[in-house]
Amino acid sequence: MKSHKVKKILLIMLALIIVVAAAVLITGCGAKNKNEVLVYCYGDYMDPSLVKQFEKETGIKVVLDTYDTNEEMYPVIKNQAGVYDVICPDTYMIERMAKEGLLSKIDYSKIPNIKNIDKAYLKKANATYDPGNKYSVPYQTGVAGILYNTKKIPKGSITSWKDLWKKQYKGKIIMQDGLRDTMGISLKALGYSLNTTMKSELSAATNYLIKQKPLVYKYANDSARDLLVGNSADLGVVWNGEMLYSQELNKDLDFVIPKEGTEVFVDSWCIPKNAFHKSNAEKWINFMCREDVAYKNFEYLTYSTPNVAAKKKLPKSIRNNKGLFPTAEMLKKSENLRDVGPDGDDLYSYYWKIFKSE
């Protein structure tokens, strides 16, 4: 009996030692990590010097990981495969993640620089993908359009998405290669919503894309700009943030937002529900909303900044460039991508597979 009691006491003591050791380890890790912020963002989506500037100003170490698409980021956050403090999703993904309880409400008292963000973007978010502006702060925005070579195609003759279906441009057309983006071009060309879940409209858009296939030189995303700059193609779909850089390298390129309207993206800073360093995340977002920081980012990215304070610092020629900063009238028929729900996702995937298999 005595030996059993001794053994029992020893086991209890061992268990206590393990618990204490674990507590010390956890406390140590917490102390080590409290001055970190883990940022998960698109690759090459900020001026690299800003990371060092933030670290120098705040004493908070930035751990930056990158992804290529919203669809790559989503399961990482949903499954908690990685624990991040700040992410940068687009409109439809913000809507989805908020519905699923994956985002934390933002404390705007900690983000005074929100005053620099154009209220038009906040109103749009409130009315569509982020009611109450609870979960997102706009970071970068832009629209899809057609970049074309005016030496090969007369200036002003490209006005519609349907121009990408003209046989005279066979073998000279670049299309985007992404389910919602590519389908969206076809849907808009046919006069439908980017966010439709009607089978008849998705079927029509799919058939229209299949009809276009023999005319397309390449389906590309990041390389589309380079193919147009290098004269490998005459016209193609790019985001307006690519426009200035492309025109610097090839003065013959012009950019147009099609008359049917287009896709407007708004990539925004959000804080995941399971963020370890929410306070640091808010400091990061506030830093990114600062006038000088947003201005520096524009010079690096040349996307349409939603930061009005930074925009005021830009040269008049840039501020008045309607390709870069479209007017409200130009955007009247344009849309943000919305979350279409699981059934909608299945529908889009179904028709995308049909298009890809043809």
Side-chain angles (χ1 to χ4, degrees), residues 153-354:
I153 303 169
K155 188 167 183 174
S157 60
I158 301 297
T159 61
S160 167
W161 289 120
K162 289 183 178 179
D163 291 328
L164 296 169
W165 273 259
K166 288 184 176 177
K167 292 180 180 178
Q168 67 208 65
Y169 304 131
K170 182 177 181 179
K172 295 294 182 179
I173 298 168
I174 305 290
M175 282 288 286
Q176 287 187 339
D177 188 16
L179 193 163
R180 292 293 299 272
D181 296 333
T182 309
M183 287 289 285
I185 293 165
S186 186
L187 287 165
K188 274 296 180 189
L190 296 173
Y192 302 137
S193 169
L194 290 173
N195 301 299
T196 184
T197 53
M198 291 182 63
K199 291 181 181 180
S200 59
E201 294 178 353
L202 288 170
S203 177
T206 302
N207 290 332
Y208 200 42
L209 283 173
I210 291 170
K211 181 181 177 182
Q212 184 202 33
K213 262 191 173 182
L215 309 178
V216 176
Y217 169 65
K218 191 170 184 180
Y219 294 90
N221 294 321
D222 294 341
S223 63
R225 173 195 70 189
D226 299 328
L227 292 168
L228 292 160
V229 166
N231 297 314
S232 295
D234 294 344
L235 71 168
V237 182
V238 300
W239 297 102
N240 63 342
E242 307 285 2
M243 177 183 62
L244 292 182
Y245 177 82
S246 300
Q247 290 173 336
E248 283 179 10
L249 298 177
N250 187 333
K251 60 181 177 58
D252 298 319
L253 295 175
D254 195 21
F255 180 84
V256 64
I257 298 170
K259 61 185 179 182
E260 297 92 349
T262 187
E263 177 186 336
V264 183
F265 77 81
V266 184
D267 291 331
S268 302
W269 296 117
C270 298
I271 301 174
K273 193 74 173 179
N274 58 342
F276 280 169
H277 313 101
K278 189 171 187 284
S279 177
N280 291 349
E282 289 162 345
K283 288 176 184 176
W284 170 266
I285 295 172
N286 190 53
F287 173 80
M288 283 296 182
C289 289
R290 214 167 72 190
E291 175 187 338
D292 60 314
V293 172
Y295 179 79
K296 197 172 187 179
N297 245 341
F298 174 83
E299 289 190 312
Y300 183 80
L301 295 170
T302 65
Y303 272 99
S304 316
T305 177
N307 191 302
V308 288
K311 184 181 175 183
K312 286 177 183 176
K313 295 180 68 176
L314 298 173
K316 191 175 180 181
S317 59
I318 299 294
R319 294 199 312 268
N320 294 338
N321 188 317
K322 292 180 181 178
L324 196 58
F325 295 102
T327 64
E329 185 61 31
M330 292 170 71
L331 294 176
K332 207 169 186 179
K333 297 179 181 178
S334 300
E335 300 172 87
N336 298 129
L337 285 184
R338 300 288 304 274
D339 176 35
V340 292
D343 291 341
D345 285 339
D346 288 344
L347 264 181
Y348 274 86
S349 295
Y350 170 75
Y351 285 107
W352 183 247
K353 286 174 184 174
I354 291 174

Side-chain angles (χ1 to χ4, degrees), residues 95-114:
E95 186 175 16
R96 177 187 300 178
M97 296 178 83
K99 286 178 184 175
E100 295 180 4
L102 298 178
L103 301 178
S104 177
K105 289 182 181 179
I106 292 172
D107 182 355
Y108 284 98
S109 69
K110 305 287 179 62
I111 307 175
N113 288 327
I114 190 70

Side-chain angles (χ1 to χ4, degrees), residues 22-33:
V24 170
L25 183 62
I26 290 168
T27 304
C29 288
K32 181 182 177 183
N33 294 334

Side-chain angles (χ1 to χ4, degrees), residues 86-126:
V86 190
I87 56 176
C88 191
D90 191 10
T91 52
Y92 73 100
M93 191 55 74
I94 294 168
E95 186 175 16
R96 177 187 300 178
M97 296 178 83
K99 286 178 184 175
E100 295 180 4
L102 298 178
L103 301 178
S104 177
K105 289 182 181 179
I106 292 172
D107 182 355
Y108 284 98
S109 69
K110 305 287 179 62
I111 307 175
N113 288 327
I114 190 70
K115 66 183 180 182
N116 294 329
I117 303 301
D118 192 333
K119 288 181 174 58
Y121 289 99
L122 297 174
K123 286 179 181 178
K124 182 72 172 177
N126 178 53

Side-chain angles (χ1 to χ4, degrees), residues 19-49:
V19 169
V20 171
V24 170
L25 183 62
I26 290 168
T27 304
C29 288
K32 181 182 177 183
N33 294 334
K34 68 179 180 181
N35 285 328
E36 285 186 343
V37 62
L38 284 72
V39 181
Y40 198 31
C41 187
Y42 295 105
D44 196 28
Y45 208 35
M46 67 188 74
D47 186 317
S49 69

